[in-house]
């Protein structure tokens, strides 16, 4: 049994990060173990988790499992979990309650916990004491070990806990079964060293470690050869890409330029921390047409006092300076979105009005807004919090009103204009429509024939809603 350990997870040594290329192996004894069996994966949380699930799928299919979208039909259920806020936790435990019932009628069913919650000591302790009926637990650092963990469990028939809390290496060669054949996630780095005081990610995802540029570029080239139109470069703090390289000076701006030069039709990247956003990066984004004019720039709070308590390393003023620089260089047509937390411990009415004022000033295209959720083991969890939940809810509503107003305003400006949309799928709302995104990440529903799926087309915008646009093909 290998349990997670937050003390270990917090450590950042000077030890070299290794790139390991031969670590993924499927032992002979489990090569056919999934023949005639089905797996179901439930993914919670961010894009990183979605991409991890694509890898877990490919690994299971290497063992001959086939996919099902109905968990009741599955022989193996994997919950790929998120730890960022309490409600993500609650959803997972709710799902485990339902699965427990299923397992009572289907004793052969195997159930596993993966993802960020697996990296939390308290969660794993709870699984060991109250969820003994589960089959195995693995973490974010050892997805590639899934075949061996499964093999071990099949030998012992006991709950197998195998979670690493080391700083982590870069593992190459893990296959991925991508959900889309049009756009793809590409990891460029793992982990985070920023340690914002509210955030669990540096503990669950480990030390910041960048993939080698040549591995990223060859993955992008391979995706182009398979017909992919768009890649999203993924990391918790992509602007810090390359800072961990000891022997070369190669940063996010270099990577963005090299990825743009591959000729892929669209390049996106998430998530940016304002701290590492350089002028050169803005210039590169402006220079290349295939780098999308879409920047997700989390601000978290509009109060410099709260930003300091959050350990964000910038002030309201320096954030606004960066924001304006981006707007000026990329033009009014670029879209900028953000993340905001309300109700951080000790947030006063004045602090919150600073956040509202900042949202009014930035007029974001959209934003993810959250109520602060204490995460065990993080510094903010032990800060005194005297703001009531009612008050926090009220602040969230007020903030959302401002965010929604400007989201609608940004969409209204597009009515009558012709924009380029990458059509991806049949619209969820109306099966006679196709859905896709502009390079500025606006969702557009278009009345169009299915032959346009996978194509970037000119669309005339007819109507704006708060979170989407309707349009028609403009040939
Ligand atoms: N409580 C609320 N929101 C959080 N986020 C991260 N940690 C917490 C927390 N403890 C938000 C931040 C981050 C986004 C991914 O989730 O806004 O940018
Ligand atoms: Fe969490 Fe992002 Fe801060 Fe890293 S930079 S600690 S992932 S909020």
């Amino acid at each position: 049994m290998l349990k997670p350990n937050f003390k270990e997870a917090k450590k950042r040594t000077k030890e070299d990060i290794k790139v390991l290329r031969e670590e993924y192996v499927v032992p002979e004894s489990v090569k056919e173990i999934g023949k005639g069996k089905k797996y179901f994966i439930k993914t919670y949380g961010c894009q990183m988790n979605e991409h991890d699930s694509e890898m877990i799928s490919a690994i299971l299919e290497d063992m001959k499992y086939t996919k099902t979208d109905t968990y009741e039909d599955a022989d193996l259920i994997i919950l790929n979990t998120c730890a960022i806020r309490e409600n993500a936790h609650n959803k997972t435990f709710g799902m485990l309650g339902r699965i427990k019932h299923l397992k009572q009628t289907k004793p052969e069913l195997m159930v596993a916990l993966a993802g960020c919650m697996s990296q939390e000591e308290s969660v794993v302790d709870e699984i060991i004491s109250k969820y003994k009926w589960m089959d195995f637990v693995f973490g974010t650092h050892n997805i590639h070990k899934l075949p061996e963990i499964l093999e071990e469990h099949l030998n012992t028939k006991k709950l197998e806990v195998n979670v690493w809390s080391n700083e982590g290496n870069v593992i190459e060669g893990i296959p991925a079964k991508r959900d889309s054949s049009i756009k793809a996630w590409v990891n460029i780095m793992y982990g985070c060293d920023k340690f914002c005081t509210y955030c669990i990610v540096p503990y669950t995802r480990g030390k910041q470690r960048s993939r080698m540029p040549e591995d990223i570029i060859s993955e992008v080239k391979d995706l182009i050869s398979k017909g992919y139109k768009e890649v999203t470069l993924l990391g918790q703090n992509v602007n810090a890409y390359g800072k961990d390289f000891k022997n070369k000076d190669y940063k996010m701006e270099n990577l963005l330029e090299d990825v743009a030069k591959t000729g892929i039709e669209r390049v996106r990247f998430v998530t940016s921390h304002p701290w590492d956003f350089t002028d050169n990066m803005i210039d590169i984004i402006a220079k290349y047409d295939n780098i999308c004019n879409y920047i997700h720039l989390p601000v978290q709070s509009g109060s410099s006092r709260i930003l300091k308590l959050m350990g964000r390393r910038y002030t309201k003023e320096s954030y606004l300076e960066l924001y304006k620089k981006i707007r000026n260089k990329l033009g009014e047509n670029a879209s900028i979105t953000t993340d905001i937390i309300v109700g951080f411990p000790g947030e006063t009415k004045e602090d919150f009005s600073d956040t509202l004022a900042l949202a009014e000033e930035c007029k974001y295209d959209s934003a993810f807004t959250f109520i602060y959720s204490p995460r065990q083991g993080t510094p903010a969890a032990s800060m005194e919090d005297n703001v009531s939940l009612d008050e926090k809810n009220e602040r969230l509503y007020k903030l959302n009103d401002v965010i929604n107003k400007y989201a609608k305003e940004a969409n209204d400006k597009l009515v009558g204009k012709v924009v380029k949309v990458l059509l991806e799928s049949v619209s969820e709302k109306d099966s006679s429509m196709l859905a896709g995104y502009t390079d500025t990440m606006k969702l557009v529903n278009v009345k169009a024939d299915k032959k346009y799926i996978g194509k970037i087309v000119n669309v005339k915008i007819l109507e704006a809603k708060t979170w989407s646009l309707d349009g028609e093909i403009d040939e």
Side-chain angles (χ1 to χ4, degrees):
M1 179 167 309
L2 203 53
K3 285 187 358 179
N5 177 324
F6 260 23
K7 240 195 216 132
E8 284 298 310
K10 203 156 67 176
K11 264 194 210 156
R12 294 295 185 267
T13 65
K14 295 260 175 291
E15 229 167 84
D16 278 356
I17 295 157
K18 292 189 208 76
V19 180
L20 304 173
R21 298 179 186 277
E22 313 286 335
E23 289 298 291
Y24 172 63
V25 271
V26 181
E28 207 53 50
S29 70
V30 289
K31 270 200 167 128
E32 307 262 303
I33 200 83
K35 226 177 196 168
K37 295 195 178 127
K38 295 191 188 123
Y39 72 92
F40 171 88
I41 303 181
K42 175 80 186 159
T43 310
Y44 300 89
C46 64
Q47 295 100 331
M48 195 79 67
N49 261 17
E50 280 181 37
H51 189 38
D52 284 352
S53 286
E54 292 181 336
M55 295 189 192
I56 295 171
S57 289
I59 295 173
L60 293 173
E61 296 194 12
D62 269 358
M63 293 184 283
K64 305 284 183 290
Y65 278 96
T66 51
K67 188 174 183 156
T68 171
D69 292 326
T70 322
Y71 78 93
E72 289 93 338
D73 289 345
D75 302 283
L76 168 60
I77 297 178
I78 296 190
L79 302 186
N80 190 10
T81 60
C82 169
I84 201 103
R85 283 172 292 275
E86 187 64 32
N87 61 353
H89 262 232
N90 297 344
K91 277 189 211 155
T92 295
F93 280 111
M95 182 75 181
L96 278 177
R98 290 193 290 281
I99 295 172
K100 184 179 179 186
H101 286 294
L102 185 64
K103 179 134 177 161
Q104 279 157 357
T105 60
K106 216 174 151 180
E108 292 307 306
L109 171 67
M110 283 201 283
V111 184
L113 193 81
C116 288
M117 279 172 69
S118 300
Q119 297 290 147
E120 292 184 283
E121 273 174 67
S122 55
V123 168
V124 171
D125 285 340
E126 191 167 345
I127 298 286
I128 293 167
S129 65
K130 298 194 198 136
Y131 293 79
K132 288 194 187 72
W133 54 269
M134 287 186 69
D135 294 275
F136 56 98
V137 179
F138 61 105
T140 57
H141 295 297
N142 61 347
I143 288 173
H144 59 291
K145 289 287 175 195
L146 171 54
E148 286 151 79
I149 295 168
L150 185 62
E151 182 187 39
E152 181 66 21
H153 167 68
L154 292 171
N155 287 337
T156 62
K157 300 270 184 288
K158 287 206 182 106
L159 170 63
E160 170 73 15
V161 174
N162 193 327
V163 180
W164 303 355
S165 296
N166 58 342
E167 295 179 327
N169 292 310
V170 172
I171 315 287
E172 291 295 338
I174 312 178
K177 180 178 184 269
R178 299 183 188 271
D179 291 334
S180 164
S181 54
I182 300 165
K183 57 182 197 179
W185 310 116
V186 174
N187 283 329
I188 63 166
M189 62 191 303
Y190 306 95
C192 181
D193 288 348
K194 283 282 181 282
F195 286 99
C196 302
T197 57
Y198 51 83
C199 186
I200 195 84
V201 168
Y203 309 79
T204 58
R205 292 269 170 185
K207 170 171 159 167
Q208 177 189 312
R209 47 222 200 270
S210 303
R211 282 180 79 196
M212 290 293 151
E214 49 276 25
D215 289 323
I216 298 168
I217 299 297
S218 80
E219 185 172 341
V220 173
K221 286 187 175 159
D222 180 54
L223 290 164
I224 297 173
S225 75
K226 290 179 173 140
Y228 280 84
K229 296 283 188 313
E230 180 180 305
V231 291
T232 302
L233 308 179
L234 281 184
Q236 301 296 346
N237 171 17
V238 291
N239 309 5
Y241 173 81
K243 290 197 160 184
D244 48 306
F245 291 147
K246 293 220 170 114
N247 305 320
K248 60 174 151 250
D249 183 21
Y250 188 94
K251 301 273 155 44
M252 184 58 180
E253 59 214 46
N254 308 105
L255 180 69
L256 260 184
E257 180 153 34
D258 283 344
V259 173
K261 281 182 180 162
T262 62
I264 183 96
E265 296 207 40
R266 282 182 171 184
V267 185
R268 299 187 188 281
F269 55 95
V270 281
T271 283
S272 296
H273 186 297
W275 176 257
D276 297 302
F277 216 114
T278 61
D279 288 3
N280 281 350
M281 238 181 93
I282 308 174
D283 290 339
I284 298 284
I285 299 165
K287 180 172 165 194
Y288 288 90
D289 280 349
N290 57 347
I291 303 181
C292 291
N293 281 315
Y294 164 70
I295 315 281
H296 186 61
L297 195 65
V299 66
Q300 312 299 0
S301 169
S303 151
S304 295
R305 192 182 76 84
I306 294 292
L307 287 170
K308 192 155 190 218
L309 289 173
M310 287 176 161
R312 290 290 287 180
R313 311 172 191 206
Y314 54 84
T315 59
K316 175 181 91 178
E317 289 75 20
S318 60
Y319 178 90
L320 283 172
E321 202 180 306
L322 172 65
Y323 181 92
K324 284 175 191 155
K325 221 187 297 178
I326 295 174
R327 272 263 183 256
N328 289 341
K329 282 240 171 90
L330 301 187
E332 280 306 309
N333 290 338
S335 119
I336 305 183
T337 60
T338 200
D339 291 343
I340 300 175
I341 298 174
V342 302
F344 186 80
E347 184 189 68
T348 61
K349 282 195 166 35
E350 291 71 39
D351 292 320
F352 177 64
S353 17
D354 285 350
T355 296
L356 279 185
L358 180 119
E360 288 281 355
E361 186 163 356
C362 292
K363 303 183 174 45
Y364 291 108
D365 288 82
S366 88
F368 296 107
T369 56
F370 312 101
I371 290 182
Y372 166 72
S373 172
R375 309 314 300 134
Q376 219 180 69
T378 61
S382 47
M383 292 180 190
E384 198 192 337
D385 184 2
N386 53 9
V387 185
S388 72
L389 188 59
D390 280 351
E391 174 68 25
K392 289 181 182 182
N393 273 313
E394 205 172 300
R395 289 180 191 178
L396 187 69
Y397 288 135
K398 275 195 190 145
L399 177 61
N400 285 344
D401 278 347
V402 175
I403 297 296
N404 294 352
K405 178 173 76 180
Y406 289 112
K408 177 72 166 48
E409 214 168 79
N411 279 349
D412 281 341
K413 281 191 202 147
L414 292 173
V415 175
K417 295 222 165 95
V418 175
V419 292
K420 288 207 179 315
V421 179
L422 171 54
L423 291 170
E424 288 170 17
S425 56
V426 173
S427 163
E428 276 176 20
K429 284 188 302 190
D430 179 345
S431 60
S432 71
M433 312 267 275
L434 300 183
Y437 289 88
T438 62
D439 86 322
T440 54
M441 205 64 175
K442 310 263 184 214
L443 173 62
V444 188
N445 290 303
V446 185
K447 213 162 208 88
D449 190 275
K450 288 200 178 68
K451 71 177 183 200
Y452 288 106
I453 291 182
K455 303 221 158 53
I456 296 178
V457 292
N458 285 329
V459 172
K460 182 162 185 194
I461 301 301
L462 302 174
E463 199 189 330
K465 300 173 180 150
T466 305
W467 301 121
S468 67
L469 298 157
D470 285 346
E472 65 184 13
I473 295 204
D474 183 83
E475 285 186 296

